[in-house]
Every structure is written in structure tokens, then in C-alpha cells.
């Protein structure tokens, strides 16, 4: 089942890391709601913030149903990240983006994911979301578990202009998509462009 179905990115996220979605649809972990979402249509992956109270109950439900659990839009510390990975979270949604910042003494979930051989890291290689040197570092740390993702917004492949994402207006300019408050709002990236960008960084 892992290869088909929707990727449900949210709504169980902290508001400060949620990004562009309407704040009304950013919710605390709710097992009954999760079950309704899973029963509504095929779901292959769910992104949630594992540090939220009640999140592990959702992780257990998803693992039991064979749905891939991804940590993303998260303020998780390294310790919280390792607890989540041990519980069954197997990937992270767009590494470094919408995550707690990493420092030498607070590696956070991003560095913890790179340090774990059992965690797949998803990276947006549009060279805006993650700097080239950071992309190369991540690939060298996780070459066999490095997954390209586009995080594509409606602007993907459409050029500059205004679009709507989740009921909110976003704007694309010079390949960068931003929301109403100026934050990154997905990307204009296509997968073939992501492959070309990674190849252009010397990754073979």
C-alpha cells in the first residue's frame, strides 16, 4: 500500500510551524478525526508533529494500519525525535523546512534524522528551500535514504503569478513561492527539475 494513496500533511501540527494553511485547520492530535480521514479515501502517508500531546496514539494507529508516518512541521527536539523514530516514524517531511532550527547543542529533529540509518529524509532541492552546501551535506550523510520531494504548490510549472493554496493567496516570483506573510509556501519545483538540480550539485 505504501506506493499509492494521499499524503495527508497535517492537520495535527503546531501553529508556529504550520506554514500557509488556514490556522482554523491546524488541530491538536485527535484519534477519532484521524480514523475518519483514513477511512475516507486511500492514504499512504501522514505528516504530523510528534512532540504534540497525544501524537504517539496517532502514530500507533497509523503504524497498525500500514500507513507511513512522517514527522514534519515540527518543533521536536532531538530527544523527542528519537522517541518518535523508535515508535515507528520512518521519514521526515521536507528536511530543515518548517522544523526547529538545529545548532551544535540542539541538533533538533533534522540532525537526528540524518543520524538515524532507519529514517528516510525528504528534501526539496529547488535551491531555495535548502542551500546547496546543505543539500550536499544531507546527501552525503543519507545517500541511501535521501528522497527528492517537490512540495509543489499550484505554481509548479506555471511561471510567475498569483495562485491559491488551501484557500489562501500565494505568489510565485523567480521560482520562489511565498504566502501572504512572506513565508515560503510550497515550491514551483517539478521532479525533473529537482533531479537536474541535484545532478548539478555533483551528486551522481
Amino acid at each position: 500500500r505504501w506506493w499509492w494513496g494521499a499524503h495527508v500533511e497535517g492537520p495535527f501540527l503546531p501553529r508556529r510551524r504550520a506554514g500557509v494553511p488556514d490556522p482554523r485547520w491546524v488541530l491538536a492530535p485527535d484519534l477519532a478525526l484521524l480514523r475518519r480521514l483514513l477511512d475516507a479515501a486511500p492514504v499512504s502517508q501522514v505528516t504530523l508533529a510528534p512532540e504534540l500531546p497525544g501524537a504517539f496514539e496517532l502514530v500507533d494507529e497509523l503504524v497498525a494500519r500500514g500507513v507511513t508516518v512522517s514527522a514534519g512541521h515540527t518543533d521536536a527536539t532531538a530527544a523527542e525525535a528519537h522517541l518518535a523514530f523508535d515508535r515507528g516514524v520512518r521519514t521526515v517531511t521536507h528536511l530543515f523546512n518548517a522544523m526547529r532550527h538545529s545548532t551544535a547543542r540542539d541538533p533538533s529533529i533534522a540532525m537526528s534524522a540524518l543520524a538515524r540509518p532507519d529514517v528516510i529524509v525528504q528534501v526539496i532541492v529547488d535551491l531555495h528551500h535548502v542551500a546547496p552546501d546543505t543539500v550536499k551535506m544531507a546527501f552525503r550523510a543519507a545517500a541511501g535514504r535521501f528522497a527528492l520531494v517537490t512540495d509543489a504548490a499550484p505554481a509548479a510549472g506555471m511561471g510567475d503569478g498569483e495562485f491559491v493554496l488551501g484557500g489562501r493567496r500565494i505568489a510565485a516570483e523567480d521560482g520562489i513561492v511565498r504566502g501572504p506573510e512572506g513565508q515560503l509556501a510550497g515550491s514551483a519545483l517539478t521532479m525533473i527539475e529537482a533531479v537536474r538540480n541535484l545532478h548539478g550539485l555533483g551528486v551522481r
Side-chain angles (χ1 to χ4, degrees):
R1 249 180 67 121
W2 63 268
W3 53 269
W4 71 288
H7 173 192
V8 180
E9 193 170 344
F12 311 116
L13 311 171
R15 291 196 174 188
R16 70 185 302 263
R17 298 288 183 196
V20 170
D22 189 322
R24 293 177 298 172
W25 310 122
V26 178
L27 306 173
D30 181 330
L31 184 58
L33 175 57
L34 175 68
R35 286 172 173 164
R36 285 174 56 199
L37 292 171
L38 296 178
D39 292 341
V43 173
S44 61
Q45 178 173 311
V46 172
T47 292
L48 51 74
E51 75 278 9
L52 295 177
F56 280 4
E57 189 176 15
L58 274 59
V59 171
D60 292 345
E61 179 77 10
L62 291 163
V63 170
R65 291 193 183 213
V67 177
T68 298
V69 191
S70 185
H73 292 272
T74 172
D75 215 26
T77 63
E80 290 167 332
H82 284 299
L83 288 173
F85 298 146
D86 290 342
R87 193 83 177 206
V89 173
R90 284 292 164 261
T91 183
V92 291
T93 298
H94 42 57
L95 188 73
F96 294 114
N97 296 118
M99 291 181 175
R100 182 186 187 93
H101 293 165
S102 298
T103 69
R105 288 180 295 280
D106 181 11
S108 86
I109 192 168
M111 291 300 184
S112 298
L114 288 173
R116 295 273 302 224
D118 57 343
V119 175
I120 295 169
V121 296
Q122 305 173 30
V123 188
I124 306 168
V125 186
D126 62 355
L127 309 183
H128 303 300
H129 278 77
V130 184
D133 282 346
T134 309
V135 172
K136 289 189 283 188
M137 179 275 296
F139 187 85
R140 287 169 184 160
R145 50 194 177 88
F146 183 104
L148 287 171
V149 293
T150 64
D151 201 39
M158 299 294 288
D160 292 349
E162 291 193 353
F163 305 87
V164 176
L165 177 63
R168 306 189 76 195
R169 292 210 166 271
I170 59 173
E173 184 176 356
D174 296 329
I176 303 174
V177 185
R178 297 193 182 278
E181 289 81 39
Q183 74 276 45
L184 289 171
S187 81
L189 187 68
T190 63
M191 186 55 74
I192 189 59
E193 290 169 340
V195 172
R196 287 170 180 155
N197 288 340
L198 191 62
H199 189 267
L201 294 176
V203 173
R204 301 291 185 268

